[in-house]
Amino acid sequence: MQLTSLPIYYDFEPSHGINAYFPDLEQGGYWTEYFSSNYQFSVYCDLEFQGFEVVEITNENYPELVAMGVFNGIL
């Protein structure tokens, strides 16, 4: 699947791994996937979602992402 210009949001937890939120173009909303390392996450994104913007979830942008509905209706 080669899609462009939609963000993939991720949250890095140092002792756990990466929780990533991918846009679901068919049903709307986002679906989530866990990766045990940054390497696995990067490889997956490069292979499956070339051209997507990757955005880290931070304390600063979290309220904006909640307001945008990124975490609503996780599939």
Side-chain angles (χ1 to χ4, degrees):
M1 176 185 294
Q2 302 293 320
L3 301 171
T4 59
S5 75
L6 291 175
I8 297 170
Y9 298 104
Y10 74 97
D11 181 22
F12 175 66
E13 298 179 42
S15 61
H16 298 285
I18 293 177
N19 293 307
Y21 300 85
F22 299 92
D24 187 317
L25 300 179
E26 293 178 10
Q27 297 181 27
Y30 286 78
W31 57 275
T32 186
E33 187 74 36
Y34 170 79
F35 299 90
S36 61
S37 71
N38 191 38
Y39 176 76
Q40 286 181 333
F41 174 60
S42 295
V43 168
Y44 183 80
C45 289
D46 287 344
L47 291 174
E48 298 293 331
F49 299 100
Q50 292 178 353
F52 268 56
E53 177 185 7
V54 179
V55 179
E56 183 174 10
I57 300 167
T58 64
N59 291 339
E60 291 78 25
N61 69 7
Y62 182 78
E64 179 181 347
L65 299 176
V66 169
M68 290 170 40
V70 171
F71 309 109
N72 297 347
I74 298 294
L75 305 172

